[in-house]
Every structure is written in structure tokens, then in C-alpha cells.
Amino acid sequence: HDLHTDYVDEDGNIVSTPETLFPEQTPYLEWLESDYSSGNKQCQYCHMTQAGRTKIASKPRQTRERIGVLRHTFYTENTMMLSIIDSLSKDLGWGLPDLIDAIDDGQKYLGGAGSIEIGNVSWQQNTLTVPVRVTNDTGHKLPTSIPVRRAFIHLAVYEIGGQEPLFSSGDVDGEGRIFGVDADFPPYTFEPHYDLITSPEQVQVYEGIMGTFEGDVTYTLLRASHFIKDNRILPLGFDKNNPEINHLILPAGDALLSDDNFNNGEDRITYQIPNLSGSGFRIVAELKDQTLAYPFIADLSDDEGADENGPIPLFLNEYDHHKVHFEIIASDTVDFNAQ
């Protein structure tokens, strides 16, 4: 599915022409540029499960079995919303036991979306160099669709046997904010795309940052006319340098313009961590997913209004009680001897 939306300019005028629509969701166009489409691997093969050979109805009695029937279960990465619904159902006395199974299925499903791998670590003059490779294992951008989602890398370095990290990029607090990410702390801007990270204040965040017609960052869909930043990881087969690709689905910002290590199903990024001491280190890299990026929560809070029983306050209250603000897609651990 694809969705293109109109937007409103600073004077409140609706801008609506085929040339100016905002590409809010484009997983189908992304799939067309991937190896999945040329290999005839359709969306249903990943998002639904095969029921095999079965009848799709019990009446009339002469209904014949069909081959390749798909079950009406659509897997989602949005375990956060499922958990909130589960919490509300318990408060209301509803019995929805299948929600727990759906959450478990969603977590398992998300685990197949991508991978992260630590490469050949090196050590020179008390500086640890850690190459990391992130791979997109889906047939569209990771993450895709409505740009409230984001994925990010958490990379931590420990001394062997130690509990406290010597270096950590991508820590998350209890409200869902990522430490060091410019979009999560005032004054709000957005985190740039990186090819090299040398500080805990730098975090690789894969996301689409919406911009207004005037060039400002926005978290309001009706004000979005384009992407200021889009470094969501491309699917395998998607070549950003192909001049024939629809410009609406190209990356935006540094991921397109200046990072040759970002393309065709993967991103390669290097961490250089100076001023370390020790004889051995444990390096942990995690690729994490957030269904709802914190800046959208902050934007909702600004629009909360005075009605404490309104939908926004009720949702924000449930979000505050939902303490798991990310899911782990994949992880990798390497022990390195610095001697």
C-alpha cells in the first residue's frame, strides 16, 4: 500500500496537486525497487502465514478446497499498541487472552526484520575501532510506512567482567527518549545521519524526519511536504544511485548525498572510541525499534488540551504506564583482547 497526502502551508492553505503530495507511506514503491519484487516474493509471504490446502467456507457443502490459502493474521511490529490495548482491556474487565499471543508473535516477527553484525575490531593508541553492519531483511525500507517509527543502534563497550559501560551510544530513558538524540531534548532539531561515531552524544537513528514547505521540522502530518532526513535502511536491490528510481522514495539528507556505505540493503558504520584503558573489552551492538518516536509524544503533549478525559490525555497516560518503549530487532556481542 502507498499513501500520499496533501499538506497545509503556513497560511493555512491546502496544497493539493499531484506534484506536491507528500509520500507519507510508500512500502509498495519500495518493494518494487527491491529484489523481493523481481523474485516474486509478495507482501503476504512475510506478513501472513500459509494455511495450506483448505476450504474457505463451510457452505455450500460442495465448496472445494483451495491451495495456498493465507490465514487472516497480519503480523505487526506495533507491540506497544497491542500492550496498551491489553492493559485497557484488563481495566475494563474484558477477556482478550489472544492479545498476549499476538504480542509474542509480533516480537518474534520483528526479530526477522533485520540483523546487526560487529566486524573486525582493532585497537591502536588507546582507541577502539568497531565496524558495524546493519542489514535490512525486509522487502521495503526499515522501518517503513508512517514516519512515526524509528530504528536505532545501541552500542556499548564494557571492560571484560565489568558491569558499567565504558562507552554507550543509544541509551533510552524511562520516557522513551534516546540520550544524545537532538530530536528528543529541547531545543528540538533532529539527529544527523552518521558514517563515523566518536561520542556517546552521537546516535545512529534510522528515521524519516518530516519538513514543512518553509523548511522547518514538523511532527504534524498535515504540515509535511517533504523529508528533511530519510535514512531508513533500503531493502536489498534498492540502488539509491539508480537515476530511474522514483524520487519520492529516495533517501534524503546525508544518507543520500555523502555516505557510500549506505545502500542496497545495508548500512556500514564505524565507531571510534578514544581514551580507553584495559586489556580486554566486551562490545555489545543492538538494533532496536520504536513504534512511536519520542518527538511525536512531545508533540502530542503540546496539543493535550484541558479535557483530561479526551483521547490525547488518555493515550498519553497509557503510554506513561507502558514502560517498554522499544523492542530489540537483533544483537551481536564480541569479546576483544587489546593486548
Side-chain angles (χ1 to χ4, degrees), residues 131-209:
V132 173
R133 177 176 178 246
V134 178
T135 303
N136 179 357
D137 295 327
T138 76
H140 45 63
K141 291 180 181 180
L142 178 66
T144 189
S145 291
I146 184 169
V148 303
R149 305 167 178 167
R150 64 183 177 184
F152 63 99
I153 297 176
H154 174 226
L155 186 130
V157 178
Y158 304 84
E159 192 169 8
I160 294 291
Q163 300 298 316
E164 293 297 322
L166 305 173
F167 173 92
S168 187
S169 164
D171 287 315
V172 181
D173 70 10
E175 297 185 33
R177 296 177 296 191
I178 306 173
F179 289 109
V181 170
D182 294 341
D184 291 12
F185 297 89
Y188 301 103
T189 53
F190 65 91
E191 191 75 358
H193 172 83
Y194 295 102
D195 190 39
L196 174 67
I197 284 181
T198 59
S199 164
E201 296 295 314
Q202 300 171 323
V203 184
Q204 188 73 314
V205 185
Y206 301 108
E207 60 188 346
I209 296 292

Side-chain angles (χ1 to χ4, degrees), residues 18-35:
E19 294 77 21
T20 59
L21 291 176
F22 174 63
E24 189 247 8
Q25 299 188 34
T26 57
Y28 175 68
L29 290 177
E30 296 159 17
W31 173 80
L32 283 178
E33 296 298 335
S34 76
D35 283 351

Side-chain angles (χ1 to χ4, degrees), residues 32-46:
L32 283 178
E33 296 298 335
S34 76
D35 283 351
Y36 284 66
S37 63
S38 58
N40 197 31
K41 188 172 184 180
Q42 299 184 16
C43 310
Q44 298 94 317
Y45 297 166
C46 293

Side-chain angles (χ1 to χ4, degrees), residues 319-339:
Y319 176 85
D320 289 339
H321 284 88
H322 180 78
K323 298 303 182 183
V324 181
H325 296 309
F326 63 83
E327 298 281 3
I328 297 176
I329 299 174
S331 64
D332 191 20
T333 301
V334 167
D335 287 343
F336 178 76
N337 187 348
Q339 293 181 329

